[in-house]
Short mmCIF file of all heavy atoms in Angstrom, two decimals:
data_model
loop_
_atom_site.label_atom_id
_atom_site.label_comp_id
_atom_site.label_asym_id
_atom_site.label_seq_id
_atom_site.Cartn_x
_atom_site.Cartn_y
_atom_site.Cartn_z
N ALA A 1 -13.56 7.39 -6.87
CA ALA A 1 -14.13 6.37 -5.93
C ALA A 1 -13.49 5.01 -6.14
O ALA A 1 -13.14 4.34 -5.18
CB ALA A 1 -15.63 6.31 -6.10
N VAL A 2 -13.35 4.58 -7.40
CA VAL A 2 -12.75 3.32 -7.70
C VAL A 2 -11.30 3.26 -7.24
O VAL A 2 -10.84 2.31 -6.54
CB VAL A 2 -12.86 2.99 -9.19
CG1 VAL A 2 -12.00 1.80 -9.57
CG2 VAL A 2 -14.32 2.73 -9.54
N VAL A 3 -10.53 4.25 -7.54
CA VAL A 3 -9.10 4.24 -7.14
C VAL A 3 -8.99 4.32 -5.62
O VAL A 3 -8.17 3.69 -4.97
CB VAL A 3 -8.31 5.37 -7.89
CG1 VAL A 3 -6.93 5.49 -7.38
CG2 VAL A 3 -8.31 5.14 -9.35
N THR A 4 -9.86 5.14 -4.99
CA THR A 4 -9.72 5.26 -3.53
C THR A 4 -10.18 3.97 -2.89
O THR A 4 -9.52 3.54 -1.88
CB THR A 4 -10.66 6.42 -3.07
OG1 THR A 4 -10.18 7.68 -3.64
CG2 THR A 4 -10.66 6.52 -1.56
N ALA A 5 -11.11 3.37 -3.41
CA ALA A 5 -11.54 1.98 -2.85
C ALA A 5 -10.39 1.00 -2.96
O ALA A 5 -10.14 0.17 -2.06
CB ALA A 5 -12.76 1.44 -3.56
N LEU A 6 -9.68 1.08 -4.09
CA LEU A 6 -8.49 0.11 -4.30
C LEU A 6 -7.45 0.51 -3.24
O LEU A 6 -6.89 -0.46 -2.63
CB LEU A 6 -7.93 0.26 -5.65
CG LEU A 6 -6.74 -0.57 -6.07
CD1 LEU A 6 -7.05 -2.04 -6.06
CD2 LEU A 6 -6.21 -0.14 -7.37
N LYS A 7 -7.25 1.75 -3.04
CA LYS A 7 -6.25 2.14 -2.04
C LYS A 7 -6.63 1.73 -0.59
O LYS A 7 -5.80 1.23 0.14
CB LYS A 7 -5.99 3.69 -2.13
CG LYS A 7 -5.25 4.05 -3.39
CD LYS A 7 -5.15 5.57 -3.46
CE LYS A 7 -4.50 5.92 -4.78
NZ LYS A 7 -4.14 7.36 -4.86
N VAL A 8 -7.80 2.00 -0.24
CA VAL A 8 -8.30 1.73 1.14
C VAL A 8 -8.36 0.26 1.43
O VAL A 8 -8.10 -0.20 2.51
CB VAL A 8 -9.74 2.34 1.32
CG1 VAL A 8 -10.39 1.86 2.65
CG2 VAL A 8 -9.61 3.92 1.38
N THR A 9 -8.71 -0.61 0.43
CA THR A 9 -8.77 -2.02 0.63
C THR A 9 -7.47 -2.70 0.35
O THR A 9 -7.32 -3.93 0.47
CB THR A 9 -9.86 -2.68 -0.26
OG1 THR A 9 -9.56 -2.39 -1.64
CG2 THR A 9 -11.26 -2.11 0.10
N ASN A 10 -6.39 -2.00 0.17
CA ASN A 10 -5.06 -2.58 -0.14
C ASN A 10 -4.60 -3.49 0.92
O ASN A 10 -3.97 -4.54 0.61
CB ASN A 10 -4.03 -1.48 -0.37
CG ASN A 10 -2.70 -2.05 -0.87
OD1 ASN A 10 -2.61 -2.53 -1.98
ND2 ASN A 10 -1.72 -2.00 -0.01
N PRO A 11 -4.89 -3.26 2.18
CA PRO A 11 -4.39 -4.24 3.23
C PRO A 11 -5.02 -5.65 2.98
O PRO A 11 -4.40 -6.65 3.44
CB PRO A 11 -4.84 -3.70 4.57
CG PRO A 11 -4.89 -2.20 4.31
CD PRO A 11 -5.40 -2.11 2.88
N LEU A 12 -6.12 -5.73 2.29
CA LEU A 12 -6.76 -7.05 2.10
C LEU A 12 -6.13 -7.73 0.88
O LEU A 12 -6.06 -8.96 0.81
CB LEU A 12 -8.24 -6.82 1.86
CG LEU A 12 -8.98 -6.32 3.05
CD1 LEU A 12 -10.44 -6.08 2.68
CD2 LEU A 12 -8.89 -7.25 4.31
N HIS A 13 -5.78 -6.97 -0.13
CA HIS A 13 -5.34 -7.59 -1.42
C HIS A 13 -3.87 -7.34 -1.78
O HIS A 13 -3.34 -8.11 -2.50
CB HIS A 13 -6.27 -7.23 -2.62
CG HIS A 13 -6.52 -5.81 -2.71
ND1 HIS A 13 -5.51 -4.97 -3.18
CD2 HIS A 13 -7.56 -5.02 -2.47
CE1 HIS A 13 -6.00 -3.71 -3.26
NE2 HIS A 13 -7.23 -3.77 -2.75
N GLY A 14 -3.32 -6.21 -1.31
CA GLY A 14 -1.89 -6.01 -1.63
C GLY A 14 -1.62 -5.69 -3.07
O GLY A 14 -0.47 -5.76 -3.49
N LEU A 15 -2.59 -5.34 -3.88
CA LEU A 15 -2.44 -5.13 -5.38
C LEU A 15 -1.89 -3.77 -5.65
O LEU A 15 -1.31 -3.50 -6.70
CB LEU A 15 -3.73 -5.32 -6.06
CG LEU A 15 -4.36 -6.68 -6.03
CD1 LEU A 15 -5.77 -6.70 -6.63
CD2 LEU A 15 -3.48 -7.68 -6.67
N TYR A 16 -2.06 -2.79 -4.73
CA TYR A 16 -1.66 -1.42 -5.07
C TYR A 16 -0.27 -1.05 -4.48
O TYR A 16 0.51 -0.52 -5.26
CB TYR A 16 -2.71 -0.46 -4.42
CG TYR A 16 -2.55 0.98 -4.89
CD1 TYR A 16 -2.97 1.31 -6.14
CD2 TYR A 16 -1.93 1.95 -4.08
CE1 TYR A 16 -2.81 2.59 -6.61
CE2 TYR A 16 -1.88 3.22 -4.52
CZ TYR A 16 -2.25 3.58 -5.86
OH TYR A 16 -2.07 4.84 -6.23
N TYR A 17 0.05 -1.41 -3.31
CA TYR A 17 1.38 -1.17 -2.75
C TYR A 17 1.61 -2.06 -1.57
O TYR A 17 0.73 -2.65 -1.01
CB TYR A 17 1.56 0.33 -2.36
CG TYR A 17 0.78 0.72 -1.11
CD1 TYR A 17 1.27 0.65 0.11
CD2 TYR A 17 -0.56 1.21 -1.31
CE1 TYR A 17 0.51 0.99 1.24
CE2 TYR A 17 -1.32 1.55 -0.20
CZ TYR A 17 -0.73 1.46 1.14
OH TYR A 17 -1.46 1.75 2.21
N GLY A 18 2.92 -2.06 -1.09
CA GLY A 18 3.23 -2.78 0.14
C GLY A 18 4.33 -1.95 0.89
O GLY A 18 5.15 -1.47 0.31
N LEU A 19 4.05 -1.79 2.14
CA LEU A 19 4.97 -1.20 3.04
C LEU A 19 5.83 -2.27 3.69
O LEU A 19 5.26 -3.03 4.42
CB LEU A 19 4.38 -0.24 4.08
CG LEU A 19 3.60 0.94 3.56
CD1 LEU A 19 2.90 1.65 4.71
CD2 LEU A 19 4.53 1.90 2.85
N GLU A 20 7.15 -2.30 3.36
CA GLU A 20 7.97 -3.38 3.90
C GLU A 20 9.14 -2.79 4.61
O GLU A 20 9.75 -1.86 4.10
CB GLU A 20 8.46 -4.32 2.81
CG GLU A 20 7.32 -4.98 2.05
CD GLU A 20 7.83 -5.88 0.94
OE1 GLU A 20 9.02 -6.11 0.86
OE2 GLU A 20 6.99 -6.26 0.10
N PRO A 21 9.49 -3.39 5.85
CA PRO A 21 10.70 -2.90 6.54
C PRO A 21 11.90 -3.13 5.67
O PRO A 21 12.17 -4.20 5.13
CB PRO A 21 10.71 -3.72 7.81
CG PRO A 21 9.42 -4.43 7.88
CD PRO A 21 8.80 -4.45 6.50
N THR A 22 12.74 -2.06 5.53
CA THR A 22 13.95 -2.19 4.77
C THR A 22 15.18 -1.64 5.44
O THR A 22 16.33 -1.84 4.98
CB THR A 22 13.83 -1.41 3.35
OG1 THR A 22 13.67 -0.05 3.66
CG2 THR A 22 12.75 -1.99 2.57
N GLY A 23 14.92 -0.86 6.51
CA GLY A 23 16.14 -0.15 7.08
C GLY A 23 16.28 1.20 6.36
O GLY A 23 15.42 1.60 5.63
N GLY A 24 17.41 1.85 6.54
CA GLY A 24 17.70 3.03 5.77
C GLY A 24 17.02 4.19 6.49
O GLY A 24 16.54 4.16 7.66
N ALA A 25 16.98 5.36 5.83
CA ALA A 25 16.56 6.61 6.38
C ALA A 25 15.04 6.56 6.74
O ALA A 25 14.60 7.06 7.81
CB ALA A 25 16.64 7.75 5.43
N PHE A 26 14.21 5.81 6.05
CA PHE A 26 12.75 5.79 6.26
C PHE A 26 12.32 4.48 6.82
O PHE A 26 11.21 4.39 7.33
CB PHE A 26 12.01 6.17 5.03
CG PHE A 26 12.46 7.53 4.50
CD1 PHE A 26 13.20 7.56 3.34
CD2 PHE A 26 12.16 8.71 5.07
CE1 PHE A 26 13.68 8.79 2.84
CE2 PHE A 26 12.52 9.93 4.62
CZ PHE A 26 13.43 9.93 3.56
N GLY A 27 13.07 3.46 6.62
CA GLY A 27 12.65 2.18 7.12
C GLY A 27 11.61 1.40 6.37
O GLY A 27 11.27 0.27 6.68
N LEU A 28 11.03 1.99 5.27
CA LEU A 28 9.98 1.33 4.48
C LEU A 28 10.28 1.50 3.01
O LEU A 28 10.86 2.52 2.60
CB LEU A 28 8.64 1.93 4.82
CG LEU A 28 8.11 1.77 6.25
CD1 LEU A 28 6.97 2.59 6.56
CD2 LEU A 28 7.82 0.33 6.47
N ALA A 29 9.79 0.53 2.25
CA ALA A 29 9.77 0.75 0.81
C ALA A 29 8.48 0.30 0.24
O ALA A 29 7.81 -0.42 0.76
CB ALA A 29 10.92 -0.13 0.17
#
């Protein structure tokens, strides 16, 4: 529950991961 809450609220805090445009095969890193 704690880890899932961190993942779900990531757009608010950005502490877990960030999807950023980079180009390449997938376009995200």
Side-chain angles (χ1 to χ4, degrees):
V2 167
V3 172
T4 299
L6 178 66
K7 291 177 182 190
V8 169
T9 59
N10 188 69
L12 298 175
H13 52 72
L15 297 174
Y16 192 74
Y17 70 91
L19 293 176
E20 299 178 14
T22 62
F26 305 105
L28 296 170

